[in-house]
Amino acid sequence: MSSFTGQRLGRLIAERTGQPGLGHDAEVVGRVLPFKVSAHVVDELVDWDRAPDDPLYRLVMPHRDMLAPADFAAVEAALRDGDRVRLRLVVDGLRERLTPHPGGQLHLNVPEDGRGLRHRYPETLLVFPRQGQTCHGYCAYCFRWPQFTGDTERRQAVDGPGAADAYLAGHPEVTDVLLTGGDPLVLRAELLDTYVAPLLARPHVRTVRMVTKAVSFAPERFLTAPDADDLLRLFERIVASGRHLALMLQVSHPRELHPEPARRALRRLRATGAVLRTQAPVVRHVNDDADVWARMWQEQVELGLVPYYMFVERDTGPRRYFGLPLARALAIHADAARRVSGLARTARGPVMSTELGKLVLDGVAHLPGGPAFALRALQARDPALVGTLAHARFDPAARWWDDLLPYGPRDRVLVPGKPLTLEGVVG
Ligand code: SF4
């Protein structure tokens, strides 16, 4: 499964587009943010004739607008001068300013015994296998980008299955275990099995979830990889044990599932008994269009997949490039939902994954004091808050929950810098 990174990716872009400037820009931006593009994406997904405006190009390739002009110039100058020390300082400083760990993910819900586990909600444990802290290719908007920059300080990972198993022994309330990264399906089937087998030995673990982009970026993982069949047998074993196996497929654009290898991979995965759900953020340049989402949801339903989440781009990495105002994300979700039948209208969103939990924007309410965003807690660290409603003042420019102001004195949820409580129940 070959892939392109660094200068090799810059050369590929210059060659395939015939625009050396794009290759140069890619090399500059690629010093700050991680990029990795699989051969399948290069050959089957990107429409090179439409680069750089092709949505699949935008999904995976570096672009100079991902950095502020002054930051781009600083990195470019350090590269041009061959000043490695200055380059290191500039890059480190920039990465720090790009909010490498939004939502407090490095310290909130992390058990005392170290990084690599997150007890996100009472019933849900996230496990980050060390060997899975990469993906077959990277989405350029990835909110987990620090996992890929080679910076072990910023990396969350467990060295083996023992940490999760020990934690589960003391936490019978955990019913859902999420293997994540990165992409746990970069692990060889044999190694993945070492993480899965202890879960199946714990009766209280009822659901095993795996988040993956492999169908879109490397469908050969399920077709011709030496352990493809072993991986499918492992999935069958999880299902045969009576557990729910949820494969959470990251799919940002309908074209990702058009190539025949992706279709074949989906057929094989469905045959294991796994339930395939889809999720992605709504992002500028790629899928900020209701028609794209409506087509994507409808086609996914036809393929036997369940549209699950439309996320809001998180406050990290190249958000200046991909981010959208909340009002725009809401309009796209509502408009797309209106264009499909109820069966394809299952994706909850737009959803913000915050320190508090998952907040969904339900719509705009026209209240006596003016328009207000209606928010609901889909998930919360405190289970008592699940389902709680709140109103925030409508702000067409707001991009994240902490940009919002409470609508009334009881809507205290949205005050930046205040304790994270969701007490603004609207009666
Ligand atoms: S699949 Fe997920 S973890 Fe991997 S690059 Fe894309 S968003 Fe990041």
Side-chain angles (χ1 to χ4, degrees):
M1 298 181 194
S2 62
S3 57
F4 296 83
T5 57
Q7 292 176 327
R8 196 163 161 248
L9 179 60
R11 282 198 298 274
L12 174 90
I13 290 171
E15 279 165 25
R16 294 280 182 123
T17 62
Q19 300 183 53
L22 290 178
H24 167 75
D25 293 352
E27 287 190 33
V28 173
V29 177
R31 295 291 173 149
V32 181
L33 294 164
F35 295 90
K36 179 165 122 182
V37 184
S38 68
H40 173 81
V41 172
V42 170
D43 294 332
E44 302 281 344
L45 291 185
V46 172
D47 181 348
W48 292 99
D49 292 336
R50 292 176 58 206
D53 294 328
D54 174 52
L56 275 298
Y57 181 97
R58 298 278 192 159
L59 172 65
V60 293
M61 301 298 183
H63 191 287
R64 67 181 294 137
D65 293 348
M66 289 174 179
L67 301 181
D71 294 334
F72 183 93
V75 179
E76 189 180 42
L79 265 176
R80 190 181 50 232
D81 298 346
D83 185 339
R84 295 173 65 166
V85 175
R86 182 152 58 94
L87 181 63
R88 186 78 261 149
L89 285 173
V90 170
V91 166
D92 284 352
L94 253 171
R95 285 180 178 165
E96 213 45 57
R97 278 196 280 127
L98 292 173
T99 322
H101 288 287
Q105 60 186 358
L106 211 54
H107 59 275
L108 286 178
N109 322 314
V110 176
E112 277 180 10
D113 44 359
R115 285 183 192 168
L117 300 178
R118 287 192 79 203
H119 196 162
R120 183 95 163 96
Y121 306 116
E123 71 285 358
T124 308
L125 180 72
L126 275 64
V127 181
F128 295 78
R130 182 173 55 78
Q131 304 87 342
Q133 299 316 306
T134 184
C135 291
H136 297 94
Y138 300 153
C139 315
Y141 56 66
C142 179
F143 72 97
R144 294 222 166 112
W145 61 271
Q147 298 286 89
F148 311 141
T149 54
D151 179 350
T152 47
E153 282 289 296
R154 292 189 168 99
R155 184 174 283 182
Q156 313 175 61
V158 288
D159 285 330
D165 193 42
Y167 191 79
L168 286 168
H171 291 273
E173 75 278 16
V174 174
T175 56
D176 283 43
V177 175
L178 179 64
L179 297 174
T180 187
D183 187 330
L185 302 190
V186 300
L187 267 65
R188 283 177 293 107
E190 196 183 351
L191 186 56
L192 187 62
D193 199 344
T194 66
Y195 282 88
V196 168
L199 304 180
L200 303 189
R202 301 236 166 247
H204 58 96
V205 175
R206 304 311 309 160
T207 297
V208 178
R209 284 193 236 184
M210 300 185 196
V211 188
T212 183
K213 187 84 188 178
V215 173
S216 299
F217 283 179
E220 66 273 20
R221 178 72 190 90
F222 311 104
L223 303 172
T224 54
D227 61 344
D229 289 350
D230 295 339
L231 183 65
L232 297 172
R233 298 296 86 77
L234 173 60
F235 291 168
E236 285 170 0
R237 246 179 55 223
I238 298 172
V239 174
S241 77
R243 274 34 175 236
H244 180 91
L245 172 60
L247 297 180
M248 315 301 292
L249 310 184
Q250 308 273 19
V251 186
S252 307
H253 194 278
R255 269 173 42 208
E256 292 176 45
L257 300 183
H258 288 178
E260 187 48 33
R263 298 282 166 112
R264 274 190 284 131
L266 289 175
R267 285 195 289 273
R268 295 199 87 193
L269 288 169
R270 288 188 65 210
T272 66
V275 177
L276 278 51
R277 295 180 174 83
T278 60
Q279 57 188 31
V282 54
V283 286
R284 216 145 53 94
H285 306 300
V286 176
N287 59 20
D288 54 336
D289 177 341
D291 185 53
V292 167
W293 282 90
R295 275 190 290 125
M296 185 156 71
W297 289 340
Q298 180 57 35
E299 291 176 13
Q300 288 173 358
V301 167
E302 290 165 19
L303 291 167
L305 317 181
V306 184
Y308 191 57
Y309 275 134
M310 173 200 271
F311 288 115
V312 177
E313 170 66 352
R314 293 182 76 158
D315 49 346
T316 183
R319 185 198 191 193
R320 67 187 307 279
Y321 180 80
F322 287 115
L324 290 169
L326 295 175
R328 176 86 186 113
L330 183 59
I332 291 170
H333 185 278
D335 194 5
R338 279 191 287 268
R339 297 177 194 210
V340 293
S341 81
L343 292 179
R345 210 179 275 168
T346 49
R348 293 178 288 183
V351 169
M352 289 174 274
S353 224
T354 73
E355 297 94 316
L356 173 74
K358 288 194 172 68
L359 295 177
V360 63
L361 271 173
D362 273 338
V364 176
H366 295 279
L367 303 178
F373 282 121
L375 294 115
R376 185 162 45 93
L378 273 185
Q379 258 298 14
R381 292 166 62 204
D382 176 355
L385 299 179
V386 174
T388 308
L389 307 175
H391 283 160
R393 295 209 166 276
F394 179 78
D395 175 351
R399 290 180 174 233
W400 198 242
W401 75 293
D402 57 8
D403 293 336
L404 297 172
L405 293 172
Y407 181 81
R410 295 165 68 206
D411 293 302
R412 293 199 283 130
V413 52
L414 301 162
V415 184
K418 293 283 166 65
L420 295 166
T421 57
L422 188 63
E423 296 173 359
V425 180
V426 176

